[in-house]
């Protein structure tokens, strides 16, 4: 492996970054659960007072989730596809200029191209999942009966 074409991160630094990212994800999940619990109480209150307004709010949120989740997965799929294209073009995995952990294995030639093609398939599958999730949430929102004016 030629370290001159990669940005090498010491193992301790990589472990610290990994622990920090895991902790950040745990905090985000904790806040999301609290927000969902608060939303449940809010919806129950709305349904008791004005069911029409509650239905409108549920439709609005489902459509917002469709955009957020579908868009997020599609962005990840696009990044994976871009990385796969770089791997196939350079015939190196990870592509030159990437950050790697000290001692990380790298591949060149047909082994790298094979992994790049697999990543291309993963990106396509993730893009299909994103589209399916978007359509499912959007249609689910459309099944909620919202009274007209």
């Amino acid at each position: 492996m030629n370290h001159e074409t990669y940005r090498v991160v010491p193992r301790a630094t990589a472990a610290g970054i990994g622990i920090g990212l895991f902790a950040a994800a745990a905090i985000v999940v904790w806040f999301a659960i609290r927000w969902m619990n608060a939303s449940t109480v809010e919806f129950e209150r709305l349904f008791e007072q004005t069911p029409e307004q509650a239905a409108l709010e549920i439709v609005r949120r489902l459509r917002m989730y469709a955009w957020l989740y579908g868009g997020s997965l599609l962005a990840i799929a696009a990044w994976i596809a871009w990385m796969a294209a770089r791997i196939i073009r350079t015939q190196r995995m990870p592509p030159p200029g990437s950050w790697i952990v000290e001692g990380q294995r790298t591949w060149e030639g047909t082994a790298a191209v094979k992994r790049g093609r697999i990543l291309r398939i993963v990106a396509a599958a993730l893009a299909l999942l994103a589209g399916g999730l978007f359509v499912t949430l959007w249609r689910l929102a459309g099944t909620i009966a919202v009274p007209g004016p």
Side-chain angles (χ1 to χ4, degrees):
M1 172 174 59
N2 184 0
H3 285 291
E4 295 171 4
T5 59
Y6 295 107
R7 296 179 239 169
V8 180
V9 177
R11 287 179 185 262
T13 303
I17 291 169
I19 290 169
L21 288 173
F22 183 77
I27 291 168
V28 167
V29 167
W30 183 75
F31 276 112
I33 290 171
R34 289 179 52 99
W35 178 75
M36 289 172 69
N37 286 337
S39 293
T40 302
V41 172
E42 177 187 347
F43 282 133
E44 288 173 354
R45 184 185 51 77
L46 266 176
F47 269 119
E48 289 172 1
Q49 296 172 356
T50 56
E52 299 85 12
Q53 189 64 29
L56 284 172
E57 182 63 19
I58 289 173
V59 168
R60 187 186 69 78
R61 286 195 186 184
L62 279 173
R63 292 197 169 148
M64 177 186 69
Y65 295 152
W67 283 107
L68 284 175
Y69 296 145
S72 297
L73 289 176
L74 193 59
I76 293 168
W79 181 80
I80 292 172
W82 173 73
M83 186 62 72
R86 284 184 60 201
I87 291 167
I88 293 168
R89 185 179 68 247
T90 61
Q91 295 186 358
R92 295 179 71 187
M93 181 175 166
S98 299
W99 291 92
I100 64 169
V101 178
E102 184 179 31
Q104 177 179 333
R105 182 175 179 187
T106 60
W107 293 269
E108 294 183 10
T110 57
V113 172
K114 182 189 293 185
R115 285 165 175 77
R117 289 181 179 146
I118 290 170
L119 280 177
R120 188 186 289 169
I121 292 168
V122 168
L126 192 57
L128 287 173
L129 177 68
L133 180 63
F134 179 86
V135 169
T136 300
L137 289 174
W138 198 268
R139 286 187 177 175
L140 180 62
T143 62
I144 297 173
V146 179

